[in-house]
Amino acid sequence: MPPPAPPPPSSWRSIGKTIMDEMTYSINGENAHYGTPTNPCAPDRVPGGSSSGSAVAVGAKLVDFALGTDTGGSVRVPAAYCGIFGLRPSHGLVSTENVIPMSQMFDTVGWFAKELSTLSHVSNMLLPLPADNTIKRPTHFTIPKDCFEILGSLKDQTYQILNASVAKRFGNDAVDNRNLGEFVSSNVPTVGKFISDFSRSEAPSVPALSVISYAMRCLQRSEFKANHAEWVNTVKPNLGPGIRERVHEAIASEDGPMEDFHVLKTEFKLALSALIKDDGILAIPTVPGSPPKLCMEAVALENFRARAFSLLSIAGLSGFCQLSIPLGVHHGVPVSVSLVACHGADRFLLSVAQELYATLKEETRKTWSSPDSLSEPSIMIRMQSSGSIGSHSVRVLDCLSIWLVDIDVVQVYKCTRSICTEEKIYFAT
């Protein structure tokens, strides 16, 4: 007997709307006009965007699941910040009909859920029916060391947690810790045209992945400009801070070497397909670390955003599916990891997550309850310059970035419960 037909649209009633970033052009989730949804895991921090309201509704247990859109990270980021599951499906697999486009080349419709079983049930309803119901067992997991140690947050210990979980569930031989940046440099030839521009950065980065991020953002801007420049220039909307600058920068920007970017996109998808294959998984941090505090200045977030988009562009530029998985709250902030699978392998990805999740939670509990993980790290910074000498003690919850002007030497003391080491960092002034 077929299921009953849904009621006609004329009888539908709206009982609420979720807030989001204007024009979907942010991963913060802040809205200057309607207010920012409160992050249920960390109320003093941003909920993540652009699909902030949907993620908060799920995280606060107001709904069982919610839809969101994800172009550059707008499902994955709020899922990570709100401590819930978030799926960005393979590009083109779920219809975006009647969705106002941001960038058609990357736009996807994804969804959130508090429980993995709920997310899987929703996925079974929204993903296309498979031609073959056979689900492969994963044979290899690439857990790239550089993505975790340079782009991620070391204090969360997610690299150790993932390696231990995969080895326990699938065997030591299933783990591959090769650096993703080196793989991309060697297997995506067009990256070489741009990599010198990103190799001189003083901030922590993986230059090859910075190129991937740059190419995606340029392609995205070009489509955004084609879709919305006329409306913005005609209507002149009163956009909020941060969004305003980003939108006008996109509209005023030159397209750049678009042919190279399209070639790079094709090369990257082929290389990543060869790495992961149909029966493999790439595991990466979803975001670089803790959700930023509310109302932080954009300039203070530049390095965090750069690292975030180096991670988010992996699935974005390739069109692969990615699932953000919550591990829990550590030192007062939510922590997550992500699993990525080849284009069209969405059901395989969900199957792997279901098989691995209990072990991930067990290893997370063991790792975070160990003596070395119970206290937050402290850092003592002693600054010496030609003009003055000062000493400051700082509590650090994330990776340390120091930007100083006219300072000759910075001595950094990294202190844990039982170990204190000293590093000297020299600056040319």
Side-chain angles (χ1 to χ4, degrees):
M1 182 177 179
S10 59
S11 67
W12 295 359
R13 183 169 61 93
S14 173
I15 60 172
K17 297 179 181 179
T18 58
I19 292 172
M20 58 182 287
D21 288 286
E22 298 166 273
M23 303 189 79
T24 74
Y25 220 143
S26 176
I27 57 171
N28 277 359
E30 295 176 297
N31 190 303
H33 302 287
Y34 298 101
T36 299
T38 301
N39 186 329
C41 276
D44 62 332
R45 296 175 182 267
V46 298
S50 61
S51 306
S52 50
S54 293
V56 166
V58 170
K61 300 182 180 179
L62 301 176
V63 295
D64 296 317
F65 74 95
L67 299 178
T69 58
D70 189 313
T71 302
S74 293
V75 165
R76 293 163 288 168
V77 172
Y81 288 178
C82 292
I84 59 177
F85 292 91
L87 176 68
R88 173 197 166 98
S90 297
H91 182 260
L93 206 63
V94 177
S95 173
T96 56
E97 185 178 358
N98 296 323
V99 175
I100 296 175
M102 199 259 193
S103 171
Q104 299 91 317
M105 202 179 304
F106 307 111
D107 290 345
T108 63
V109 174
W111 42 94
F112 305 94
K114 188 80 171 173
E115 305 296 335
L116 182 55
S117 57
T118 303
L119 188 95
S120 298
H121 183 65
V122 174
S123 301
N124 285 334
M125 300 298 292
L126 295 180
L127 292 173
L129 291 172
D132 182 1
N133 286 323
T134 304
I135 301 292
K136 300 183 181 71
R137 184 173 172 80
T139 61
H140 58 282
F141 286 75
T142 303
I143 309 174
K145 190 174 184 180
D146 55 351
C147 286
F148 286 89
E149 294 194 349
I150 299 174
L151 300 179
S153 173
L154 293 176
K155 75 178 182 64
D156 296 333
Q157 299 173 281
T158 50
Y159 182 66
Q160 294 89 334
I161 291 168
L162 269 165
N163 276 284
S165 300
V166 171
K168 179 180 287 188
R169 198 78 186 89
F170 302 101
N172 288 318
D173 292 342
V175 178
D176 178 0
N177 291 134
R178 76 178 75 188
N179 285 335
L180 189 59
E182 293 175 5
F183 174 83
V184 171
S185 295
S186 300
N187 291 276
V188 183
T190 306
V191 162
K193 290 188 175 184
F194 304 97
I195 199 163
S196 63
D197 295 333
F198 296 92
S199 299
R200 296 186 292 269
S201 172
E202 294 179 1
S205 69
V206 177
L209 296 183
S210 297
V211 175
I212 296 302
S213 172
Y214 172 66
M216 179 175 168
R217 284 184 288 115
C218 289
L219 290 167
Q220 178 183 326
R221 278 181 188 169
S222 177
E223 287 198 321
F224 179 86
K225 181 166 58 174
N227 290 327
H228 302 295
E230 182 180 355
W231 180 82
V232 171
N233 290 330
T234 302
V235 175
K236 296 179 171 46
N238 178 27
L239 299 171
I243 303 288
R244 181 190 311 118
E245 292 78 9
R246 202 166 297 124
V247 165
H248 287 293
E249 180 186 1
I251 289 173
S253 65
E254 298 291 333
D255 282 347
M258 299 303 287
E259 185 175 343
D260 284 339
F261 295 147
H262 283 284
V263 170
L264 190 151
K265 181 175 183 290
T266 300
E267 291 174 352
F268 180 62
K269 182 175 181 179
L270 289 172
L272 206 59
S273 297
L275 174 67
I276 302 177
K277 303 183 175 65
D278 291 338
D279 55 359
I281 291 288
L282 172 66
I284 56 175
T286 307
V287 289
S290 308
K293 292 290 186 72
L294 289 163
C295 302
M296 282 186 69
E297 292 290 334
V299 67
L301 289 172
E302 284 179 4
N303 177 248
F304 187 92
R305 283 175 54 84
R307 286 187 291 143
F309 284 115
S310 289
L311 294 166
L312 295 165
S313 297
I314 295 169
L317 193 67
S318 65
F320 286 12
C321 49
Q322 179 174 340
L323 175 63
S324 181
I325 299 175
L327 296 182
V329 175
H330 190 46
H331 295 320
V333 290
V335 177
S336 68
V337 293
S338 270
L339 303 182
V340 178
C342 278
H343 187 275
D346 302 57
R347 293 178 184 274
F348 166 71
L349 174 64
L350 290 163
S351 173
V352 173
Q354 289 170 326
E355 188 169 357
L356 185 62
Y357 186 55
T359 308
L360 273 174
K361 292 293 286 183
E362 179 187 351
E363 289 300 321
T364 298
R365 180 188 56 78
K366 286 168 52 180
T367 302
W368 288 353
S369 62
S370 67
D372 290 339
S373 185
L374 289 177
S375 61
E376 298 170 0
S378 297
I379 291 184
M380 175 73 77
I381 302 176
R382 186 169 68 210
M383 298 185 291
Q384 177 178 327
S385 70
S386 55
S388 63
I389 298 176
S391 183
H392 303 274
S393 180
V394 183
R395 297 288 291 177
V396 177
L397 298 180
D398 206 341
C399 293
L400 177 69
S401 295
I402 309 174
W403 296 92
L404 301 167
V405 179
D406 296 327
I407 290 179
D408 304 314
V409 181
V410 181
Q411 290 179 301
V412 183
Y413 298 83
K414 297 183 179 178
C415 304
T416 63
R417 177 171 293 181
S418 57
I419 301 172
C420 185
T421 61
E422 176 180 342
E423 297 180 7
K424 287 188 178 180
I425 306 172
Y426 293 87
F427 290 80
T429 59

